[in-house]
Amino acid sequence: VFFRHDYWIMNWSRIGSGSASRSIYDGIVRWDHQTIDQVITTEECSHLDHCVVVFNPMPKKVTSSDGHRSVDTSLFQFFRRNGTFESMPRVIQALKKSSTSISDWQTFQHIMENDAMVMHAVMCTSSPPAKYLNRPCTEFLDRFMQFRHKTGLRVAFTIDAGPNPHLIWHKDDASKVLPWLKSDNTWVKLLINREEKGGVLLGKQKYQEYMSQKLIEDIAQYNVIFISGKRYGGKSWLANKLSEIMKFPSFALSDSIKESYCMKNKVDYEEMLKNRELKEEHRSKMVVYAEETIASDCHVWDWTLWEKATKLANKTFIVSDGRRPGDLKFFKRMSNCVHVRVECPDSVRASRGWKKTEVDAKDSETGLDDAEYDFTFQSVSSETSDSDLQDLVTSIKNAFSG
């Protein structure tokens, strides 16, 4: 039944994802506007290894579908389309022979890389333009090409509609490519194919299954301790204690929000940091300000903290005041992230000065109430034992090392 109706299966899959339609067959697949067919078998590409170098795992502001709608407004699209029809037979033949032929590898490499960069030229010159590449990505590609020129290794890149290059290399050169790649300190994550049956994994095929079987190696550049909890619940106290014990810097999402709010409303920022009464006086307005900003850019404050923390060259840091589901999603995607939930009875919070207001019903206070967490910490008094803290520290270290 499958083979009889594979045409319909592929077209149904294209409704949801073009990448999904390419996963109907094994090996390497050619997809045009009418058909999808296997052009290289798994055995013919078994000499290839594959890795995605992730610089930004967050959803794109301009989707691939939106980008494709504008391509015909670019003068480059005519040349790219004609060039693709001409080069497709050549790249298929070169790839089939690239296992043993250096010249065929170079042909495959040249065509693939040239097409990737022309595609981005098309996107940049469309109306409206879609700029997918970012500075970390382009600087990485400069270093990559210098490395390849110096070593002569068989490794090539391509880039789809995003800032995350794919590297494809000959398995015989893996022992030299991977150490260089892992030593680069600019990427956020590496997704390395570990399929042992041969072939190269591209796209989203059986991603969760492959992850559970460890057939994709997911390497994160950064570790993040993400702390969430209620107002007056002890988040900042725990963050300071962990920072003191583990020697990792701590950053607060709210600091950037406060600073921006104070500049806009002519409030003394330094006084806001020191004076709790002043902060509570402005809290409701600050929450509204933060929500309005997030409505136009859902991760604006997450990116602000991320750039600040990573500029200091810290591979591990603490986020002391996670509040919204989007915050947790961001740091989970960007890092090896452990979520520590601080739990504190209302009676203890009240003894610390908490008074229930309309703010307590907002998403900034309730958004992570039902979120999954890795560890909990009971903040029931100011005399938490050293053993409780040490148990948490040990658990966090084990999570990062595992």
Side-chain angles (χ1 to χ4, degrees):
V1 174
F2 170 79
F3 290 107
R4 192 179 308 163
H5 300 294
D6 58 352
Y7 172 83
W8 298 108
I9 292 172
M10 288 183 288
N11 278 279
W12 289 336
S13 69
R14 287 173 66 172
I15 296 173
S17 167
S19 297
S21 67
R22 292 177 294 183
S23 299
I24 300 297
Y25 296 119
D26 292 327
I28 293 179
V29 174
R30 175 175 54 196
W31 170 30
D32 62 29
H33 68 289
Q34 290 289 340
T35 62
I36 301 168
D37 59 315
Q38 182 192 62
V39 293
I40 299 177
T41 66
T42 300
E43 291 74 20
E44 289 174 319
C45 60
S46 61
H47 60 291
L48 301 177
D49 266 344
H50 168 245
C51 173
V52 185
V53 186
V54 181
F55 289 97
N56 185 351
M58 305 309 295
K60 296 174 286 194
K61 292 183 178 180
V62 180
T63 66
S64 299
S65 297
D66 289 339
H68 281 297
R69 291 188 186 99
S70 303
V71 294
D72 287 327
T73 64
S74 169
L75 294 176
F76 290 107
Q77 176 64 357
F78 171 81
F79 299 102
R80 183 186 181 230
R81 183 185 290 117
N82 289 344
T84 299
F85 289 140
E86 179 184 339
S87 62
M88 182 64 72
R90 293 174 54 219
V91 77
I92 292 172
Q93 290 303 313
L95 192 50
K96 287 181 177 180
K97 299 176 183 178
S98 63
S99 175
T100 57
S101 168
I102 297 295
S103 62
D104 283 301
W105 178 276
Q106 291 173 342
T107 298
F108 152 66
Q109 171 184 302
H110 173 76
I111 293 174
M112 181 173 68
E113 293 181 353
N114 185 68
D115 180 72
M117 298 314 293
V118 171
M119 184 201 77
H120 282 275
V122 169
M123 295 298 185
C124 287
T125 55
S126 297
S127 180
K131 185 178 180 181
Y132 292 107
L133 302 183
N134 58 20
R135 179 179 293 179
C137 171
T138 56
E139 291 179 349
F140 169 82
L141 290 176
D142 285 342
R143 292 192 300 276
F144 163 76
M145 287 187 280
Q146 290 173 16
F147 163 75
R148 185 176 65 191
H149 178 73
K150 182 178 179 180
T151 61
L153 296 175
R154 290 165 292 181
V155 54
F157 75 85
T158 186
I159 319 176
D160 53 13
N164 306 314
H166 294 246
L167 296 189
I168 299 174
W169 60 85
H170 197 293
K171 285 185 176 180
D172 290 348
D173 291 342
S175 62
K176 294 181 180 178
V177 172
L178 282 173
W180 175 84
L181 185 56
K182 291 180 179 180
S183 69
D184 188 272
N185 63 359
T186 59
W187 44 262
V188 171
K189 283 191 174 185
L190 295 178
L191 298 176
I192 304 175
N193 182 36
R194 290 300 186 195
E195 173 60 79
E196 297 179 356
K197 297 177 183 177
V200 54
L201 175 69
L202 298 174
K204 304 170 184 176
Q205 179 189 28
K206 297 183 179 178
Y207 179 77
Q208 294 300 329
E209 178 185 337
Y210 273 74
M211 290 298 290
S212 65
Q213 295 179 24
K214 306 298 183 184
L215 296 179
I216 295 178
E217 184 178 0
D218 186 343
I219 304 174
Q221 185 90 259
Y222 297 94
N223 297 320
V224 172
I225 303 168
F226 183 92
I227 300 175
S228 71
K230 300 292 189 180
R231 291 192 300 133
Y232 291 87
K235 300 188 301 296
S236 296
W237 180 88
L238 178 60
N240 290 335
K241 282 293 184 180
L242 291 177
S243 180
E244 179 184 328
I245 295 169
M246 304 182 77
K247 309 302 181 185
F248 299 142
S250 179
F251 301 89
L253 287 162
S254 58
D255 283 352
S256 296
I257 298 173
K258 290 172 191 169
E259 185 174 10
S260 179
Y261 171 86
C262 288
M263 288 180 62
K264 185 175 181 179
N265 294 278
K266 299 181 180 177
V267 178
D268 188 328
Y269 173 64
E270 296 299 329
E271 184 64 23
M272 173 82 79
L273 295 178
K274 296 182 291 184
N275 188 332
R276 183 124 201 180
E277 289 184 2
L278 181 62
K279 182 170 71 172
E280 292 302 320
E281 177 186 336
H282 287 269
R283 181 181 290 276
S284 181
K285 292 179 181 179
M286 279 196 293
V287 170
V288 171
Y289 173 70
E291 296 293 345
E292 289 176 348
T293 311
I294 290 170
S296 60
D297 186 348
C298 62
H299 296 296
V300 58
W301 305 116
D302 302 315
W303 277 115
T304 301
L305 187 151
W306 180 267
E307 290 169 1
K308 181 179 180 181
T310 55
K311 275 182 181 178
L312 297 176
N314 298 299
K315 296 299 181 183
T316 303
F317 58 88
I318 301 166
V319 177
S320 65
D321 59 347
R323 295 183 179 278
R324 299 169 179 83
D327 299 333
L328 181 59
K329 181 180 180 180
F330 177 91
F331 288 101
K332 285 284 188 182
R333 285 196 175 192
M334 295 290 287
S335 68
N336 182 17
C337 175
V338 295
H339 180 194
V340 180
R341 181 68 177 180
V342 179
E343 296 184 345
C344 182
D346 287 352
S347 58
V348 176
R349 295 168 64 204
S351 70
R352 297 171 179 169
W354 171 67
K355 294 179 181 178
K356 191 171 183 178
T357 68
E358 72 278 3
V359 169
D360 294 288
K362 292 185 178 293
D363 187 54
S364 60
E365 291 297 317
T366 64
L368 293 173
D369 285 357
D370 298 321
E372 292 186 6
Y373 52 79
D374 299 290
F375 310 108
T376 59
F377 185 81
Q378 302 297 327
S379 177
V380 295
S381 72
S382 59
E383 299 182 6
T384 302
S385 68
D386 290 340
S387 62
D388 291 337
L389 277 170
Q390 195 56 53
D391 287 345
L392 179 59
V393 167
T394 300
S395 297
I396 292 171
K397 287 181 177 179
N398 290 338
F400 285 153
S401 62

